[in-house]
């Protein structure tokens, strides 16, 4: 069997996934209290392209429809896509960096750290307005970065760490942080409802400002991680081997930890703790396309986007008009998958 | 394509303990150096220090004249490849992808692997017989296969020197030999330096040009295998008695284990026992009787015979003949003389050939002198290669008043029982 070279894999897979993301995004936008046809959505998106858009399409839709689509549904879908991208890429990076297929923002404690950081901002009443949107991700990132450093310190012995220990440390620290969070929530009764809803993960409040706020975290994180695809590949062989193959291990680890935490922090701050995306998506992509991060990272980004767009669509339609938090949907799919991976991991000592 | 490595007064300490203790070593260009020593002697640590995977507490290492601590990992990786002991991989990269990772130090950040890189990877995989594994996920390979993939990766690095930490530990003997031959070839033809921690003293002696024996973080002996692998050095380093002899086909020493280091037992009883043996049948009896405190003699033995070697190790008195020669008049006469002063004589179950047939007559001599004589007569025909003469002599011994025993080792309990009385 001839091995498909990576360039062909990239050249075919990425456009295909991009197309799928676009289609699922448009379908998601059409669904809601007010029905809109996919063609209208597509035309409106073209119409909104700066400079040339209004020359290609003449609007036939009402202004109300335009407001619903452009001001409510498009940003919500984009926020879902960007969150999915951030979490999936962060998950893939954590898994490669920690040589642990069970690692993801949720299991290594980064999500809880980010949540605590962001919750503090909300409880202190600083979480609203444009300033709040700027502050939230920064607080989330700080909490997340402190947590991953803590987990690392607990699990590592002489620079090496055991796969299971790392997850245990993540879970332990995660529970600890969640306890602090619960404690703070009991004290802060007035922002309780907002906090709970946000913690479960939701794109309901997502507007254009949220989209703009998450974007820099996504772009910076993704670029840094994809730039280091080769380092990530080699780090999966272990830090010693990576060093002996000419990788500056400490610097690379720091860059990757920083980037993955940045992306996870941004996502958690703006969409709440949406679990398991970072676990499931890289796994599925790895199973289909192999572990080469040159392909894995962008493919995981697109797949993560698709996954959360679909999950969000399900979350807001399955019990309409009641909206489920999207975190419920992802956990519903992700937790059994995690259990399955753990079981497989125990049986074969590898995944 | 080679590089010299100099190690000056190297220390690695954990608290009070020096894992590497003031170690100085110069490895010439294109050397093939085996690092040997017991567990905990610092071999693996030395490899990690040379690879800059660990930092020394004191001292310095020079790679081609440049201080290792001033070189970045990429510069080092272009000159030095490391094959680690533990080759676990968690992610299902294909074998070829793993070998291609060896090209990393030669590639710039955004540079893709080119035709030349694929050619080098192909060559490395063919040489290590891993090319047919190229599309298999490394997670599904056996330990030995994975090790060969890692070795291929090291070759793909095109290093000037390759460090190996017990590279043969997961390999079957045929792959061990294949790997060492491959390293020898690289060493000879391309001048690639090889520094390998090896476990097997004989393979090390056979393939390396220099041997460093490590003990407690120091170099105990350094030199060619002939110079370094002496029985005394090995005894000192491993606390194990060995025999060193010359490989029958190659000009290198070979090592056989005799046992843990033993103290010579002083004679504690008056029994003088003469063992007529050869071909290794006397080894156990010699040990047993010596440990009972008897004064043991053996003969007539050709030098180099395993009973001769063992008797020497136990410091016994032997009547000997030159190697591979039939037992001559002079040795026979001397043996007869010795037997005259013995308390017990035992004829063991050695294979009888024309050269040592005469040894049986020693038992006859003992009988004639009225010395208690024991004869292992069982299966005499089966080990008689003289066309019946040997078996006939033994039969006449049995008929002539000697005590028949099953096997030579029965002598140990017989003597022990006699001592009890």
């Amino acid at each position: 069997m001839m091995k498909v070279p990576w360039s062909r894999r990239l050249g075919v897979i990425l456009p295909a996934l991009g197309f799928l993301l676009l289609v699922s995004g448009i379908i998601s936008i059409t669904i809601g209290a007010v029905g809109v046809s996919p063609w209208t959505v597509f035309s409106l998106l073209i119409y909104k392209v700066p400079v040339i858009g209004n020359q290609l399409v003449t609007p036939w839709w009402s202004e109300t429809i335009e407001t619903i689509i452009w001001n409510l549904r498009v940003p919500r879908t984009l926020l879902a896509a960007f969150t999915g991208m951030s979490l999936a890429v962060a998950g893939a990076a954590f898994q490669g960096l920690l040589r642990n297929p069970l690692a993801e923002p949720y299991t290594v404690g980064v999500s809880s750290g980010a949540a605590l950081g962001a919750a503090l901002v909300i409880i202190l009443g600083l979480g609203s307005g444009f300033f709040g949107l700027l502050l939230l991700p920064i607080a989330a990132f700080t909490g997340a970065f402190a947590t991953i450093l803590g987990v690392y310190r607990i699990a590592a012995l002489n620079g090496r760490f055991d796969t299971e220990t790392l997850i245990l440390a993540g879970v332990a620290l995660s529970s600890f942080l969640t306890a602090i969070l619960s404690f703070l929530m009991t004290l802060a009764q007035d922002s309780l409802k907002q906090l709970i809803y946000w913690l479960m993960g939701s794109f309901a409040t997502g507007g254009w400002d949220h989209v703009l706020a998450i974007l820099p975290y996504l772009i910076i994180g993704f670029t840094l991680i994809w730039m280091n695809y080769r380092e990530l590949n080699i780090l999966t062989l272990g830090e010693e081997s990576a060093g002996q193959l000419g990788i500056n291990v400490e610097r690379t680890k720091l860059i990757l930890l920083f980037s993955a935490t940045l992306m996870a922090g941004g996502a958690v701050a703006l969409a709440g703790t949406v679990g398991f995306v970072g676990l499931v998506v890289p796994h599925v992509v790895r199973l289909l396309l192999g572990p080469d991060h040159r392909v894995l990272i962008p493919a995981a980004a697109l797949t993560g986007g698709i996954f959360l767009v679909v999950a969000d669509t399900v979350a807001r339609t399955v019990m309409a008009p009641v909206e489920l938090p999207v975190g419920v949907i992802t956990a519903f799919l992700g937790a059994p998958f995690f259990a399955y991976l753990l079981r497989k991991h125990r049986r074969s000592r590898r995944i | 394509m080679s590089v010299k490595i100099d190690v000056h007064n190297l220390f690695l300490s954990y608290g009070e303990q020096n894992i590497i203790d003031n170690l100085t070593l110069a490895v010439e260009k294109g050397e093939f150096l085996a690092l040997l020593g017991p567990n905990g002697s610092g071999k693996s640590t030395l490899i990690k220090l040379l690879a800059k995977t660990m930092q020394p507490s004191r001292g310095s290492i020079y790679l081609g004249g440049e201080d290792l601590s001033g070189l970045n990992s990429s510069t080092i990786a272009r000159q030095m490849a490391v094959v680690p002991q533990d080759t676990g991989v968690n992610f299902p990269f294909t074998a070829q992808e793993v070998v291609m990772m060896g090209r990393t130090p030669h590639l710039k950040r955004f540079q893709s692997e080119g035709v030349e890189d694929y050619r080098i990877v192909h060559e490395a995989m063919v040489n290590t017989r891993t090319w047919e594994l190229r599309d298999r996920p490394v997670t599904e390979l056996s330990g030995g296969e994975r090790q060969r993939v890692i070795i291929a990766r090291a070759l793909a690095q095109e290093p000037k020197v390759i460090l190996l930490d017990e590279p043969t530990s997961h390999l079957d003997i045929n792959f061990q030999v294949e790997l060492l031959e491959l390293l020898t070839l690289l060493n000879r033809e391309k001048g690639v330096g090889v520094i390998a921690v090896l476990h097997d003293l004989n393979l090390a002696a056979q393939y390396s040009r220099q041997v460093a024996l490590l003990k407690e973080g120091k170099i105990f002996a350094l030199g060619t295998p002939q110079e370094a692998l002496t029985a005394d050095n090995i005894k000192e380093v491993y606390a194990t008695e060995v025999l060193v002899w010359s490989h029958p086909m190659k000009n290198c020493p070979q090592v056989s284990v005799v046992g843990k280091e033993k103290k010579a037992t002083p004679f504690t009883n008056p029994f003088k026992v003469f063992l007529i043996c050869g071909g290794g049948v006397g080894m156990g009896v010699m040990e047993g009787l010596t440990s009972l405190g008897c004064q043991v003699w053996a003969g007539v033995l050709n030098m180099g015979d395993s009973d001769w070697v063992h008797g020497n190790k136990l410091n016994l008195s032997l009547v000997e003949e030159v190697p591979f020669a039939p037992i001559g008049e002079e040795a026979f006469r001397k043996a007869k003389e010795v037997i005259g002063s013995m308390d017990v004589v035992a004829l063991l179950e050695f294979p009888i050939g024309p050269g040592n047939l005469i040894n049986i007559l020693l038992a006859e001599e003992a009988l004639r002198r009225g010395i208690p004589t024991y004869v292992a007569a069982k299966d005499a025909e089966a080990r008689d290669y003289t066309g019946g003469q040997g078996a006939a002599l033994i039969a006449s011994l049995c008929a002539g008043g000697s005590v028949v025993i099953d096997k030579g080792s029965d002598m140990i309990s017989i003597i022990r029982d006699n001592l009890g009385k």
Side-chain angles (χ1 to χ4, degrees):
Chain A
M1 193 184 76
M2 187 56 203
K3 184 112 192 109
V4 183
W6 65 270
S7 51
R8 278 242 308 278
R9 275 190 277 165
L10 267 188
V12 175
I13 293 294
L14 294 190
L17 285 174
F19 180 72
L20 257 178
L21 177 59
L22 188 68
V23 169
S24 52
I26 288 176
I27 291 173
S28 168
I29 292 169
T30 60
I31 296 171
V34 180
V36 191
S37 78
W39 177 243
T40 312
V41 174
F42 184 72
S43 306
L44 195 143
L45 290 179
I46 299 288
Y47 175 70
K48 284 290 183 183
V49 173
V51 188
I52 54 159
N54 48 12
Q55 315 208 346
L56 294 171
V57 182
T58 323
W60 66 81
W61 50 80
S62 69
E63 217 160 286
T64 325
I65 292 290
E66 183 169 328
T67 311
I68 288 174
I69 294 179
W70 187 251
N71 288 349
L72 295 177
R73 294 194 190 166
V74 172
R76 178 178 181 145
T77 304
L78 279 178
L79 183 62
F82 289 168
T83 306
M85 289 178 168
S86 301
L87 292 175
V89 172
F94 277 128
Q95 286 165 19
L97 178 63
L98 304 175
R99 288 185 292 299
N100 186 336
L102 297 176
E104 70 126 359
Y106 210 66
T107 51
V108 296
V110 161
S111 290
S112 309
L116 183 60
L120 271 175
V121 172
I122 294 177
I123 289 167
L124 293 173
L126 302 169
S128 50
F130 186 68
F131 176 72
L133 280 180
L134 286 181
L135 191 61
L136 269 175
I138 295 171
F141 167 73
T142 312
F145 203 66
T147 310
I148 189 68
L149 289 183
V151 169
Y152 203 84
R153 281 294 289 269
I154 295 171
L157 189 71
N158 300 328
R160 297 168 145 266
F161 40 77
D162 175 64
T163 312
E164 276 78 16
T165 316
L166 190 97
I167 295 294
L168 287 178
V171 171
L173 204 54
S174 198
S175 313
F176 181 69
L177 296 173
T178 310
I180 297 180
L181 191 56
S182 305
F183 174 70
L184 289 177
M185 282 162 68
T186 352
L187 296 185
Q189 287 294 336
D190 35 337
S191 44
L192 187 61
K193 199 172 168 202
Q194 188 198 348
L195 269 173
I196 288 176
Y197 211 71
W198 169 77
L199 276 178
M200 285 191 290
S202 170
F203 304 116
T205 54
W208 280 106
D209 44 359
H210 282 74
V211 174
L212 291 178
I214 196 176
L215 207 50
Y217 293 86
L218 173 61
I219 292 172
I220 295 171
F222 178 83
T223 310
L224 283 175
I225 290 173
W226 202 18
M227 268 172 63
N228 283 286
Y229 73 86
R230 190 173 276 144
E231 283 81 351
L232 260 173
N233 281 347
I234 292 171
L235 272 172
T236 63
L237 301 179
E239 290 180 19
E240 277 189 13
S241 292
Q244 290 157 1
L245 285 166
I247 303 294
N248 186 337
V249 175
E250 290 310 314
R251 199 186 64 193
T252 309
K253 260 165 45 183
L254 205 65
I255 292 174
L256 289 170
L257 271 185
F258 172 83
S259 323
T261 311
L262 196 68
M263 297 182 93
V268 169
L270 295 157
T273 50
V274 182
F276 297 108
V277 182
L279 177 80
V280 177
V281 173
H283 260 286
V284 172
V285 175
R286 202 179 287 118
L287 274 177
L288 296 176
L289 302 176
D292 185 355
H293 288 84
R294 174 159 37 187
V295 182
L296 179 64
I297 293 297
L302 294 170
T303 313
I306 296 167
F307 182 56
L308 266 198
V309 167
V310 172
D312 180 49
T313 313
V314 174
R316 63 193 170 84
T317 51
V318 75
M319 283 180 68
V322 177
E323 235 185 67
L324 290 175
V326 69
V328 171
I329 305 292
T330 58
F332 204 74
L333 295 171
F337 188 72
F338 182 70
Y340 158 77
L341 285 180
L342 251 181
R343 177 114 195 107
K344 196 175 150 198
H345 189 62
R346 280 183 62 86
R347 212 176 313 142
S348 65
R349 290 268 116 210
R350 59 174 195 247
I351 288 180
Chain B
M1 191 174 137
S2 194
V3 70
K4 186 172 189 280
I5 296 178
D6 286 293
V7 178
H8 289 303
N9 304 102
L10 202 67
F11 283 89
L12 181 83
S13 320
Y14 287 127
E16 294 283 285
Q17 203 191 356
N18 291 330
I19 310 296
I20 295 292
D21 191 1
N22 198 11
L23 190 145
T24 297
L25 174 69
V27 186
E28 293 300 325
K29 285 181 178 180
E31 189 57 87
F32 194 134
L33 173 71
L35 298 177
L36 302 173
N39 294 333
S41 58
K43 301 163 295 185
S44 297
T45 311
L46 180 58
I47 289 280
K48 286 184 179 166
L49 289 166
L50 292 177
K52 210 187 170 188
T53 304
M54 289 171 99
Q55 308 293 331
S57 311
R58 262 188 292 154
S60 34
I61 299 169
Y62 295 90
L63 179 66
E66 288 190 75
D67 194 333
L68 199 66
S69 61
L71 298 175
N72 65 34
S73 48
S74 174
T75 312
I76 297 170
R78 279 195 291 273
Q79 306 190 58
M80 182 192 279
V82 185
V83 176
Q85 222 174 65
D86 142 45
T87 54
V89 184
N90 274 344
F91 287 78
F93 285 101
T94 65
Q96 192 179 1
E97 284 172 330
V98 171
V99 178
M100 186 55 92
M101 290 181 191
R103 298 302 300 155
T104 309
H106 300 279
L107 295 169
K108 296 189 184 72
R109 176 170 292 278
F110 294 110
Q111 190 185 354
S112 295
E113 301 85 358
V115 180
E116 178 69 0
D117 298 305
Y118 277 97
R119 189 192 62 72
I120 292 163
V121 165
H122 175 258
E123 189 185 313
M125 294 186 84
V126 167
N127 282 338
T128 49
R129 288 177 178 249
T130 51
W131 182 242
E132 54 279 11
L133 305 173
R134 63 188 175 279
D135 289 330
R136 299 255 310 274
V138 275
T139 43
E140 287 171 16
L141 300 181
S142 73
E145 289 171 332
R146 198 159 56 233
Q147 187 125 22
R148 275 149 56 212
V149 170
I150 300 298
I151 290 161
R153 188 190 70 198
L155 298 185
Q157 247 173 292
E158 297 196 300
K160 294 175 181 169
V161 57
I162 175 164
L163 310 183
L164 304 101
D165 192 355
E166 288 187 31
T168 56
S169 55
H170 287 97
L171 302 180
D172 296 334
I173 182 78
N174 53 332
F175 283 121
Q176 290 188 26
V177 169
E178 208 168 284
L179 168 64
L180 288 165
E181 306 247 315
L182 173 66
L183 291 173
T184 308
L185 195 76
L186 280 171
N187 180 257
R188 287 218 190 105
E189 303 210 330
K190 298 194 173 172
V192 177
V194 175
I195 302 177
V197 172
L198 294 175
H199 232 52
D200 188 315
L201 298 181
N202 290 327
L203 289 177
Q206 205 164 323
Y207 289 98
S208 60
R209 263 187 282 169
Q210 289 271 308
V211 165
L213 265 178
L214 270 74
K215 187 193 182 191
E216 291 161 8
K218 293 186 174 76
I219 295 205
F220 182 82
L222 176 71
T224 63
Q226 279 90 344
E227 292 164 351
L229 289 179
T230 63
D232 285 342
N233 282 347
I234 293 168
K235 182 173 163 182
E236 198 61 45
V237 169
Y238 289 92
T240 300
E241 285 282 354
V242 295
L243 280 177
V244 177
W245 77 88
S246 188
H247 191 290
M249 286 154 72
K250 301 191 176 184
N251 182 28
C252 69
Q254 292 288 286
V255 179
S256 283
V257 174
V258 172
K260 285 304 284 180
E261 198 175 347
K262 278 187 189 142
K263 301 244 158 29
T265 3
F267 307 123
T268 52
N269 73 58
F271 266 115
K272 289 182 175 177
V273 185
F274 193 97
L275 301 175
I276 306 168
C277 53
V281 299
M283 287 158 62
V285 192
M286 289 173 180
E287 279 186 28
L289 296 185
T290 312
S291 65
L292 287 175
C294 301
Q295 188 180 346
V296 182
W297 283 71
V300 178
L301 296 167
N302 287 111
M303 293 175 189
D305 178 277
S306 28
D307 277 342
W308 178 85
V309 167
H310 203 67
N312 267 326
K313 273 290 146 202
L314 294 170
N315 250 333
L316 307 187
S317 317
L318 303 175
V319 183
E320 54 199 22
E321 182 55 84
V322 294
F324 302 109
I327 290 156
E329 259 321 296
E330 198 185 327
F332 185 71
R333 198 174 328 116
K334 189 181 174 213
K336 277 209 315 200
E337 213 172 285
V338 170
I339 278 176
S341 63
M342 290 290 123
D343 299 308
V344 178
V345 173
L347 181 88
L348 307 185
E349 61 276 30
F350 56 90
I352 308 154
N356 65 356
L357 181 66
I358 195 170
N359 267 348
I360 301 175
L361 299 181
L362 290 172
E364 222 172 63
E365 170 76 11
L367 268 182
R368 208 164 48 77
R369 297 200 187 201
I371 299 167
T373 306
Y374 295 80
V375 175
K378 209 173 167 188
D379 298 331
E381 291 85 358
R383 50 187 163 83
D384 179 14
Y385 301 98
T386 58
Q389 288 184 62
L393 280 174
I394 287 179
S396 78
L397 280 176
C398 296
S402 61
V403 185
V404 179
I405 52 175
D406 260 7
K407 48 192 191 306
S409 53
D410 293 350
M411 288 312 295
I412 302 166
S413 51
I414 291 166
I415 301 277
R416 190 189 298 123
D417 292 348
N418 268 299
L419 286 172
K421 283 172 194 165

